[in-house]
Amino acid sequence: MLSLDPSGPEWDCPLGSKDLEDEGPWGGGSGLPPTGCFPGSWRQDVGLDCKGSPEGTEARAWTVYYYSLLQSCLQQAGLPETQDRSQAPRTGCPGAEVTLCVLGSPSTFLPVLLEGGVQSPGNMLLCLSPAWLMKVPAPGQPGEAALLVLKAVSFHPGGLTFLDDFVPPRRATYFLAGLGLGPSRGREAAELARDLTCPTGASAELARLLEDRLLTRQLLAQQGGVAVPATLAFTYKPPGLLRGGDSSPGLRLVELSGKEGQETLVKEEVEAFLRSEALGDVLQVAVKLSGWRWRGRQALHLHPRAELGAVVNTVLALLEKLEEEESVLVEAVYPPVQLPCSDGPSPGPGLAVRICAVVCRTQGDRPLLSKVVCGVGRGDRPLRHHNSLPRTLEAALTAMLALEAGLSAEQRGGRRAHTDFLGVDFALTAAGGMLTPVALELNGGLCLEACGALEGLWAAPRLGPAADEAAAAPLVETMLRRSARCLMEGKQLLVVGAGGVSKKFVWEAARDYGLQLHLVESDPNHFASQLVQTFIHFDMTEHRRDEENARLLAELVRARGLKLDGCFSYWDDCLVLTALLCQELGLPCSPPAAMRLAKKKSLTQLHLLRHHGPPWPAPSLHAVPCCPLESEADVERAVHQVPLPGVMKLEFGAGAVGVRLVEDAPQCHEHFSRITRDLQGEADHPGIGLGWGNAMLLMEFVEGTEHDVDLVLFGGRLLAAFVSDNGPTRLPGFTETAACMPTGLASEQEAQMVQAAFRCCLGCGLLDGVFNVELKLTGAGPRLIEINPRMGGFYLRDWILELYGVDLLLAAVMVACGLRPALPTRPRARGHLVGVMCLVSQHLQALSSTASRETLQALHDRGLLRLNLLEEALVPGEYEEPYCSVACAGSSPTEARLRLLGLCQGLGIDGPSYPVAHFLSHFK
């Protein structure tokens, strides 16, 4: 609990939410900063001046003040002093790196800054003065400007900070400012945030809406279903968003056309309000001014409910101070819920409790409760921070996001201006023996600072909450996500191979991200040909001619005059061709030799078996003995070299087509003959790699649970990894049956799987890209099944995006453009997904009736299941891939599993020949 005991005689609301930024220019004040505020010792001779952007005396004093405030915050958190590196400017890669810029009070934004230093080292920058930033017109975007960072304090892991100059300046990819309306830095910050090309997490226009108590209370009551204090509001020429709005229970709006001659109206309205049932048992009311101009700069007036004349006189006196779009509020003062003292009744006033919380915008513009902090103080005084329930808090941000969605770019302060986080102040009141949370106001920084203060209590001894509990973590993830979009908008990319229906999301996502796609595809009538900037029809089905085709395609690209930023593929058949084409065009990609190594399954295993290190542990520990098969003689030789039972599969196959468990030599010969007869070329089963031939391999069968590891690598460094679990397959086949994410493995086992996948990729020379690695966890550790040198297929991209807010497609295209993906270092799952695969051979009747595509889509749209369609037509066949994946979400694996099991039983997916409960048994 955080003790918040205000000692001053004036409070700005009946339940006490005083703005912590009301001193100085950030919050609207003016003049010189206070002096002698920060006990402690740190260097004073640091380079705070920004070359080419001199500051006046007052502005310079505030820069020194905020630098000292930062050092005091770091000192109290047990973190080292900022090191001055400004004499050796940083060069960087302008326009090609994430730059998260914060302009504001260090104490307010310290949680964000420290978390940013962990999630994106060196890219989280704090500017202590507007003079450290510069706006320049954006070419080709009239009315918008790029924001350049000339000087900043950069944040790194371990709380390390550096004072840096940037030559050339860094270009901001995300901007978050502490805003105010004062004559100094508040207005400068507001102007810097307006009409930027980069995403912004706040603007003066949005802040005015967010911190207008009357507007937000109406919004919360009407759209969020949130209880607010009983309020009577006299509004003078109210803004359009308040005019004509439906009244809410306990919230009465009286529109005034003038400020004079309102005595009779005011008396009638106040008298009716004081007698109304909306006030319940309240004994006091507060009268105050409301509007952006009065934020944190005025005291409220408390009156007994019975004193009608005093309330009326106060309202009339305050009316004289109103300007347009401002209000006078008369609101209920609820007695706080008081905590009992542990030692029995106390002669003093007792303790009262309030809680404040932070809610952040996450992937898909969904609200997420980030942190709740409890405040305790004297029971006879209002506290500064308050309480709520998680559902209520998220409803608050949902209502705010809905309001923003209806605003124009001008009303928001720019095309890219959005509210990415807010604080919600609530009070717990007791009525009728029940506790009720009452929303007081929304704010932009108060609650964030309170949460950071609590986290700071544990920083020095390193005893407190785990890092993944940081209040600012979801906000920083959103900053990174929006930065990635900013970096990629307008990029020109060549896509090699369009894929099937399961890859339709690529074209939708490209439009959403503002990517300019050019497509090379063998099918002249492919639906995607109408969805791209340029379509190049080119027959590339014969992949044994990839080197020649790469040269021809490079000539076609040059002939078309395409100015490409990158080239990539997510389609198995085209991966080697893509690497060769990138080599021809001088574009970033993993080496063709590495792609060839990963593409041919036996080559992968045999290469890694020879890779004994150092460093240790070597990839050879994870490889599995195998033999390539191109003839019956190879089969005969293999059965004496590879321990049986074994697994036979196509060398270049995909989707587990043709993969089979073989117990002895006769079964090996029989399966080899059947595959070489039935699957001879691309026409026999398109999309599973037969354009590479139908060679096979025999590998040792290893016992254990099967898992997928999806990796993001850049420059040979592991940026992110996501582990999922697979259910038991229907032997002797290996078609996937069920999956669960995130993994249920213990942390140590999960780390083993990630490191095994990472080492196997490095061992094959895969240094840059998004890769899918299939492994089994055995009693002796992880064993490699195969490496897919592209983004994970089936449902994986969708699930990772849903649970972690990380888009593997966006990461893949960033790597293809030579940009380091903007990813959180420790992505946290927001729930659990458990799913099953539907097969035409097993579910034709259900898929044609109770579980039809239309039925499944309707359930998906209602949020009852998650559908990923993998095939277009219900065509049964001996060599089949899954038709679709059906999944359910839950707060735990058990909840998701039980929901899914019930759904499958109701839809007819579960049955004797397809026992869903068995397939889900690994996830208990």
Side-chain angles (χ1 to χ4, degrees):
M1 288 188 175
L2 180 66
S3 177
L4 300 168
D5 185 14
S7 57
E10 295 185 340
W11 310 312
D12 87 317
C13 81
L15 297 163
S17 175
K18 181 167 177 60
D19 192 328
L20 298 181
E21 293 184 303
D22 60 356
E23 289 186 346
W26 299 112
S30 59
L32 293 171
T35 57
C37 299
F38 310 115
S41 60
W42 44 80
R43 291 187 58 180
Q44 304 293 326
D45 57 337
V46 292
L48 296 179
D49 294 325
C50 187
K51 296 177 182 177
S53 185
E55 293 182 296
T57 303
E58 182 180 316
R60 165 73 180 182
W62 278 106
T63 302
V64 172
Y65 170 82
Y66 281 119
Y67 182 80
S68 296
L69 176 57
L70 172 63
Q71 301 314 307
S72 178
C73 291
L74 294 173
Q75 184 181 72
Q76 292 183 38
L79 299 173
E81 178 182 344
T82 300
Q83 298 180 41
D84 186 358
R85 301 192 303 193
S86 58
Q87 297 305 311
R90 309 289 106 181
T91 53
C93 304
E97 58 192 347
V98 168
T99 301
L100 312 176
C101 179
V102 174
L103 173 65
S105 169
S107 61
T108 298
F109 293 108
L110 190 65
V112 179
L113 297 164
L114 293 175
E115 180 67 18
V118 173
Q119 293 203 35
S120 191
N123 296 323
M124 176 61 80
L125 307 180
L126 170 64
C127 289
L128 300 173
S129 167
W132 293 9
L133 294 157
M134 179 172 62
K135 286 175 79 171
V136 296
Q141 295 174 286
E144 294 188 344
L147 185 67
L148 303 182
V149 185
L150 309 174
K151 187 184 194 74
V153 177
S154 61
F155 284 73
H156 299 257
L160 294 178
T161 55
F162 299 93
L163 181 62
D164 289 323
D165 282 7
F166 302 104
V167 180
R170 288 185 67 157
R171 181 169 179 163
T173 59
Y174 186 95
F175 183 54
L176 180 61
L179 299 165
L181 198 63
S184 185
R185 296 191 176 188
R187 286 182 177 172
E188 290 183 71
E191 182 53 41
L192 283 170
R194 186 172 290 113
D195 295 321
L196 293 177
T197 56
C198 72
T200 60
S203 69
E205 290 78 1
L206 291 176
R208 283 183 174 87
L209 300 178
L210 176 67
E211 303 206 16
D212 184 323
R213 280 188 185 158
L214 181 56
L215 175 62
T216 53
R217 284 184 185 179
Q218 184 187 58
L219 187 69
L220 293 176
Q222 291 179 358
Q223 297 188 28
V226 179
V228 298
T231 304
L232 170 64
F234 296 95
T235 67
Y236 176 55
K237 295 184 179 180
L241 290 170
L242 276 174
R243 282 195 203 107
D246 296 333
S247 60
S248 304
L251 187 61
R252 167 76 173 158
L253 275 65
V254 180
E255 296 186 20
L256 302 177
S257 57
K259 295 183 286 186
E260 299 177 355
Q262 304 292 341
E263 291 83 357
T264 301
L265 175 63
V266 168
K267 182 177 180 180
E268 290 175 354
E269 291 288 349
V270 170
E271 184 174 11
F273 178 70
L274 295 179
R275 292 179 177 177
S276 68
E277 294 182 0
L279 287 177
D281 299 330
V282 164
L283 300 177
Q284 282 186 308
V285 294
V287 185
K288 69 175 81 171
L289 290 161
S290 175
W292 173 263
R293 194 163 59 102
W294 302 103
R295 184 184 68 138
R297 299 167 71 184
Q298 46 93 26
L300 57 83
H301 303 265
L302 293 174
H303 297 286
R305 180 178 178 179
E307 294 184 0
L308 171 63
V311 176
V312 170
N313 290 337
T314 303
V315 171
L316 292 172
L318 293 180
L319 283 180
E320 299 177 4
K321 300 182 179 182
L322 288 187
E323 295 183 0
E324 291 186 9
E325 301 188 353
E326 295 180 345
S327 307
V328 175
L329 306 183
V330 183
E331 62 182 35
V333 178
Y334 296 103
V337 175
Q338 296 195 4
L339 297 177
C341 295
S342 58
D343 299 328
S346 169
L351 296 176
V353 61
R354 300 290 185 270
I355 303 174
C356 74
V358 174
V359 189
C360 298
R361 179 197 299 259
T362 60
Q363 172 67 31
D365 291 338
R366 288 175 293 188
L368 175 71
L369 174 63
S370 174
K371 176 75 66 111
V372 179
V373 172
C374 181
V376 176
R378 291 168 57 104
D380 61 345
R381 295 182 178 181
L383 299 182
R384 287 194 171 116
H385 289 103
H386 315 88
N387 172 61
S388 77
L389 302 178
R391 183 176 178 183
T392 305
L393 285 170
E394 292 176 354
L397 183 55
T398 298
M400 193 66 196
L401 297 184
L403 173 67
E404 279 188 22
L407 301 178
S408 66
E410 183 178 0
Q411 289 174 312
R412 293 198 311 272
R415 178 171 58 97
R416 296 184 179 275
H418 292 289
T419 300
D420 284 336
F421 79 102
L422 54 78
V424 189
D425 281 345
F426 276 72
L428 268 185
T429 66
M434 297 181 62
L435 294 178
T436 303
V438 178
L440 301 175
E441 65 176 0
L442 307 182
N443 62 71
L446 286 164
C447 295
L448 182 64
E449 184 161 5
C451 292
L454 178 64
E455 292 168 2
L457 293 177
W458 304 102
R462 301 293 188 266
L463 296 175
D468 62 359
E469 296 175 356
L475 173 58
V476 173
E477 291 175 13
T478 295
M479 296 166 80
L480 289 169
R481 189 179 304 114
R482 294 187 68 192
S483 287
R485 286 173 167 266
C486 178
L487 286 170
M488 290 305 296
E489 185 176 25
K491 294 293 186 190
Q492 306 281 333
L493 286 123
L494 183 66
V495 180
V496 183
V501 64
S502 65
K503 297 299 186 288
K504 277 188 174 180
F505 67 82
V506 171
W507 319 108
E508 299 166 1
R511 183 171 60 251
D512 182 38
Y513 292 139
L515 304 177
Q516 304 297 308
L517 297 188
H518 311 274
L519 174 63
V520 178
E521 169 57 36
S522 300
D523 179 3
N525 300 313
H526 197 285
F527 70 86
S529 64
Q530 306 300 313
L531 304 176
V532 293
Q533 302 297 310
T534 306
F535 178 69
I536 301 175
H537 173 232
F538 188 92
D539 185 1
M540 49 191 180
T541 54
E542 180 49 72
H543 292 287
R544 283 165 286 204
R545 298 176 55 188
D546 274 352
E547 291 192 5
E548 178 186 350
N549 288 339
R551 289 191 292 271
L552 294 173
L553 278 172
E555 292 174 6
L556 286 174
V557 167
R558 296 187 188 103
R560 298 270 185 128
L562 300 182
K563 305 297 183 184
L564 300 176
D565 296 295
C567 172
F568 80 110
S569 180
Y570 45 79
W571 200 240
D572 272 301
D573 285 5
C574 301
L575 299 174
V576 174
L577 173 61
T578 301
L580 290 165
L581 180 56
C582 287
Q583 192 176 65
E584 289 284 339
L585 296 173
L587 295 171
C589 189
S590 285
M595 284 295 187
R596 284 196 181 97
L597 201 58
K599 180 62 184 168
K600 189 172 183 179
K601 295 175 174 56
S602 65
L603 201 57
T604 305
Q605 300 283 5
L606 295 173
H607 173 79
L608 293 177
L609 281 170
R610 295 191 293 268
H611 204 301
H612 298 292
W616 188 89
S620 58
L621 292 175
H622 311 300
V624 177
C626 67
C627 280
L629 309 174
E630 295 187 5
S631 66
E632 290 285 356
D634 291 336
V635 176
E636 186 61 33
R637 183 169 57 254
V639 297
H640 293 96
Q641 295 180 1
V642 176
L644 296 178
V647 178
M648 289 187 71
K649 59 173 72 175
L650 289 164
E651 278 279 22
F652 305 99
V657 174
V659 183
R660 187 176 182 85
L661 179 70
V662 286
E663 302 278 358
D664 50 35
Q667 286 188 11
C668 292
H669 285 285
E670 179 187 355
H671 189 57
F672 181 81
S673 298
R674 181 160 61 259
I675 293 297
T676 54
R677 180 188 68 241
D678 296 345
L679 302 177
Q680 296 184 13
E682 184 71 13
D684 294 323
H685 201 305
I688 63 163
L690 293 173
W692 288 87
N694 65 348
M696 300 188 73
L697 75 150
L698 173 65
M699 62 185 297
E700 181 182 349
F701 175 71
V702 291
E703 295 280 0
T705 55
E706 188 171 336
H707 307 267
D708 278 56
V709 183
D710 289 273
L711 306 171
V712 181
L713 272 63
F714 187 76
R717 296 186 179 276
L718 177 63
L719 302 188
F722 307 91
V723 182
S724 55
D725 305 337
N726 292 338
T729 62
R730 300 167 63 239
L731 296 175
F734 287 90
T735 302
E736 187 173 325
T737 58
C740 176
M741 183 182 281
T743 178
L745 294 175
S747 298
E748 180 180 345
Q749 293 174 316
E750 180 183 12
Q752 288 177 355
M753 299 300 281
V754 170
Q755 285 302 310
F758 180 39
R759 285 192 292 267
C760 287
C761 286
L762 293 184
C764 290
L766 298 172
L767 306 179
D768 297 277
V770 177
F771 308 120
N772 170 260
V773 183
E774 300 176 27
L775 302 122
K776 274 194 170 183
L777 182 60
T778 72
R783 291 292 182 270
L784 177 67
I785 299 174
E786 62 188 46
I787 297 175
N788 299 304
R790 41 79 180 158
M791 177 176 61
F794 290 165
Y795 48 82
L796 285 168
R797 180 259 181 182
D798 176 60
W799 283 21
I800 292 169
L801 182 60
E802 172 68 15
L803 292 175
Y804 296 92
V806 172
D807 191 347
L808 293 185
L809 174 63
L810 183 58
V813 296
M814 291 189 77
V815 173
C817 292
L819 300 178
R820 180 188 175 99
L823 300 175
T825 54
R826 297 182 308 272
R828 286 163 285 270
R830 310 300 186 200
H832 298 262
L833 282 169
V834 176
V836 296
M837 294 293 197
C838 294
L839 305 176
V840 175
S841 63
Q842 299 296 315
H843 302 113
L844 180 58
Q845 182 176 351
L847 292 172
S848 303
S849 55
T850 53
S852 67
R853 180 173 174 178
E854 294 74 20
T855 299
L856 295 177
Q857 187 62 53
L859 292 171
H860 174 93
D861 294 340
R862 291 169 57 192
L864 298 177
L865 61 77
R866 193 155 199 91
L867 173 66
N868 282 276
L869 196 65
L870 310 176
E871 293 291 338
E872 193 78 58
L874 293 171
V875 180
E878 182 180 357
Y879 304 102
E880 67 176 341
E881 297 177 84
Y883 172 75
C884 68
S885 165
V886 174
C888 284
S891 58
S892 68
T894 299
E895 180 183 344
R897 179 173 54 83
L898 293 177
R899 281 182 180 174
L900 180 63
L901 184 57
L903 194 76
C904 289
Q905 290 169 347
L907 293 173
I909 295 172
D910 181 41
S913 63
Y914 203 81
V916 172
H918 169 64
F919 299 144
L920 304 182
S921 61
H922 283 188
F923 312 143
K924 291 183 179 179

